[in-house]
Amino acid sequence: MIKDTIAAISTPMGEGGIAVIRISGSGAVAVADTVFRSKTKLADVPTHTVQYGHIIDPADGERVEEALATVMRGPRSYTAEDVVELSCHGGLVSVRKVLELVLASGARPAEPGEFTKRAFLNGRIDLSQAEAVMDLIRSKSDRAFKSALRQVDGSLSRKIGGLRSQLLALMAHIEVNIDYPEHDVEELTVAHIRGETAEALKQVKGMLSSARQGKILREGIVTAIVGRPNVGKSSLLNALTQENKAIVTDIPGTTRDVIEEYVTVNGIPLRLLDTAGIRETSDVVEQIGVSRSRGALAEADLVLLVLSGAEPLGEDDRKLLVELDGKETLVVVNKMDLPQRVELEEIRARYPEERIIRISVQDEEGLEQLEQAVTELFLSGQVEPEDMTYVSNVRHIHLLQKAQASLEEALEAASSGVPIDMIQIDLRNAWEELGEIIGDSVGETLIDQIFSQFCLGK
């Protein structure tokens, strides 16, 4: 049982309509009563009510702020402990002053993610749900948000829990067969073990099949916009973001550094990297930009190679076409509004037709086809069901892969005539690896590491 009381600012720092200071723990109400004055003491008000009053300095009784106090007694709160949230005017000075008074009245500063960690330790949520809270906060698209929200609600937990129950039942059958062979129990055959293990393996593979889409929704596709100078890379960035993020001129080499922006395409978050034009140059500053462009190219999951349709392919274009062999690439032929001089047959010799997109940023033509090509490339153009549960967390994917390996070993052992007590070892390994996902079998060090990545106040 956690006894100390923690407090932190739970809203972003800076100017705003309101700021919230969250207090949680067995002494949350008493701490809040020390600094909050209203007609009724918070200790006497019903749970899940909001009181109007003022923040005062207990040292001299001076009013410091006007505030609302929301009282939520455990276990019906975010942390399953007593929680009080003080809402005051947003502003750097006011919110810090209120927090200082709260800390001086008996609370200690919360560590990053400690409120969610307490919700986990107090049994209100499991570890996969806790990790989904951070995914919810960091969502960069509607689909990523909905996926994270389903995991917060326990969609992944229920799948993992159901699978572990099946494995536990199978291990129990094996244990009975080993310990009490003389009892008249259901005959446990190797065929039965193979069938149950194969079914569990199918479920694990099914969850892993969503990992690529889940990782895309969670982290976005790192997309490098590359090409030689003055082909329309920055114009394309501006068109996709619908903002003038990059300087656009007729002078080659305007972009000297990598410009980064997020944009959502058909529900897929793209992390766009607009790069300096890649070409041979004697300009020292431009050389640095070209070097950074190549770094962005190495990092990219997707490359948009922009060519000018109004010009024949140049030596720099051809070098890029060769350099991009093996990379996921869409060739974007820009300036289709002008007379066309680019050698499309030479491009088609390297890329299939569906990878070549003709656009005019000037006339805003072809952008929808480009967005659809990105969707086809990464999600096969399929719109997943609304209730689809994506596995996107790297830790979860790693543990599912380990569970898959354990189940494959169990299945192979069952097919090779290995004694059933040896098969049970592999099944137990899979059961424990799945348990690590929801936190049933995980060490304190890992728990601390996971929650240290959370933002302060959550």
Side-chain angles (χ1 to χ4, degrees), residues 19 21 64-65 88-100:
I21 293 89
V64 174
E65 250 284 32
C88 60
H89 296 100
L92 292 172
V93 176
S94 60
V95 69
R96 282 178 177 167
K97 181 64 175 175
V98 175
L99 179 61
E100 287 171 3

Side-chain angles (χ1 to χ4, degrees), residues 264-280:
T264 301
V265 171
N266 292 334
I268 305 171
L270 301 186
R271 182 179 149 210
L272 294 176
L273 306 176
D274 178 25
T275 66
I278 298 177
R279 64 173 176 176
E280 297 297 328

Side-chain angles (χ1 to χ4, degrees), residues 385-404:
E386 282 295 312
D387 60 351
M388 178 72 174
T389 298
Y390 294 99
V391 179
S392 59
N393 186 289
V394 174
R395 189 182 72 87
H396 299 172
I397 293 170
H398 175 66
L399 288 168
L400 283 169
Q401 289 171 337
K402 289 180 67 176
Q404 177 182 335

Side-chain angles (χ1 to χ4, degrees), residues 272-418:
L272 294 176
L273 306 176
D274 178 25
T275 66
I278 298 177
R279 64 173 176 176
E280 297 297 328
T281 177
S282 58
D283 186 308
V284 175
V285 177
E286 192 174 355
Q287 285 176 355
I288 296 172
V290 171
S291 176
R292 292 182 179 180
S293 296
R294 295 192 186 282
L297 194 58
E299 178 189 359
D301 302 312
L302 170 66
V303 177
L304 301 182
L305 171 60
V306 183
L307 303 174
S308 172
E311 303 171 57
L313 290 175
E315 190 60 30
D316 291 324
D317 294 321
R318 291 188 172 92
K319 285 181 179 179
L320 275 171
L321 284 168
V322 173
E323 188 175 339
L324 293 177
D325 277 348
K327 297 284 291 186
E328 291 282 17
T329 304
L330 292 175
V331 180
V332 182
V333 182
N334 188 26
K335 304 184 182 182
M336 61 179 288
D337 52 300
L338 300 176
Q340 298 295 285
R341 300 177 60 198
V342 69
E343 298 90 342
L344 286 178
E345 290 306 316
E346 191 172 338
I347 301 171
R348 291 187 181 115
R350 288 185 172 275
Y351 293 98
E353 192 66 38
E354 62 269 17
R355 294 286 187 102
I356 304 170
I357 317 298
R358 301 185 67 189
I359 70 169
S360 169
V361 174
Q362 177 72 28
D363 294 343
E364 298 184 354
E365 293 184 14
L367 295 177
E368 289 186 4
Q369 288 89 333
L370 175 59
E371 293 177 354
Q372 186 58 37
V374 172
T375 307
E376 292 283 349
L377 190 59
F378 283 90
L379 296 184
S380 303
Q382 300 297 315
V383 178
E384 300 292 346
E386 282 295 312
D387 60 351
M388 178 72 174
T389 298
Y390 294 99
V391 179
S392 59
N393 186 289
V394 174
R395 189 182 72 87
H396 299 172
I397 293 170
H398 175 66
L399 288 168
L400 283 169
Q401 289 171 337
K402 289 180 67 176
Q404 177 182 335
S406 296
L407 290 171
E408 287 172 343
E409 289 173 6
L411 195 57
E412 182 180 350
S415 302
S416 303
V418 173

Side-chain angles (χ1 to χ4, degrees), residues 96-344:
R96 282 178 177 167
K97 181 64 175 175
V98 175
L99 179 61
E100 287 171 3
L101 293 173
V102 168
L103 296 178
S105 299
R108 68 163 174 82
E111 298 172 358
E114 190 169 3
F115 292 101
T116 306
K117 181 179 180 180
R118 289 190 173 204
F120 164 67
L121 294 175
N122 290 328
R124 194 184 72 80
I125 56 176
D126 65 34
L127 196 54
S128 67
Q129 290 174 292
E131 289 171 291
V133 170
M134 206 66 239
D135 291 342
L136 197 67
I137 295 170
R138 293 174 176 167
S139 297
K140 296 177 179 66
S141 69
D142 288 342
R143 290 177 69 180
F145 179 84
K146 289 177 181 177
S147 176
L149 187 60
R150 282 193 290 271
Q151 290 199 30
V152 170
D153 288 339
S155 62
L156 180 61
S157 304
R158 287 188 290 273
K159 284 189 174 184
I160 296 295
L163 182 52
R164 293 186 82 221
S165 295
Q166 293 174 35
L167 290 176
L168 192 62
L170 180 57
M171 288 189 292
H173 278 302
I174 294 174
E175 195 69 37
V176 168
N177 188 272
I178 294 170
D179 293 344
Y180 306 102
E182 72 280 4
H183 283 215
D184 184 19
V185 296
E186 177 185 348
E187 184 180 4
L188 183 64
T189 64
V190 172
H192 175 67
I193 296 175
R194 280 204 306 263
E196 291 292 307
T197 304
E199 175 58 30
L201 183 58
K202 179 182 176 182
Q203 292 184 51
V204 170
K205 287 182 175 179
M207 284 186 274
L208 280 171
S209 69
S210 72
R212 184 169 186 259
Q213 293 95 324
K215 188 174 184 292
I216 288 170
L217 292 180
R218 184 175 190 255
E219 301 176 8
I221 301 171
V222 180
T223 307
I225 305 175
V226 302
R228 61 179 173 79
N230 215 31
V231 292
K233 300 185 300 300
S234 296
S235 297
L236 178 58
L237 174 78
N238 290 342
L240 291 173
T241 60
Q242 298 184 348
E243 293 184 56
N244 291 323
K245 293 289 186 179
I247 298 173
V248 177
T249 73
D250 293 331
I251 304 171
T254 304
T255 302
R256 296 297 185 98
D257 205 346
V258 176
I259 299 173
E260 181 177 330
E261 286 295 331
Y262 271 97
V263 65
T264 301
V265 171
N266 292 334
I268 305 171
L270 301 186
R271 182 179 149 210
L272 294 176
L273 306 176
D274 178 25
T275 66
I278 298 177
R279 64 173 176 176
E280 297 297 328
T281 177
S282 58
D283 186 308
V284 175
V285 177
E286 192 174 355
Q287 285 176 355
I288 296 172
V290 171
S291 176
R292 292 182 179 180
S293 296
R294 295 192 186 282
L297 194 58
E299 178 189 359
D301 302 312
L302 170 66
V303 177
L304 301 182
L305 171 60
V306 183
L307 303 174
S308 172
E311 303 171 57
L313 290 175
E315 190 60 30
D316 291 324
D317 294 321
R318 291 188 172 92
K319 285 181 179 179
L320 275 171
L321 284 168
V322 173
E323 188 175 339
L324 293 177
D325 277 348
K327 297 284 291 186
E328 291 282 17
T329 304
L330 292 175
V331 180
V332 182
V333 182
N334 188 26
K335 304 184 182 182
M336 61 179 288
D337 52 300
L338 300 176
Q340 298 295 285
R341 300 177 60 198
V342 69
E343 298 90 342
L344 286 178

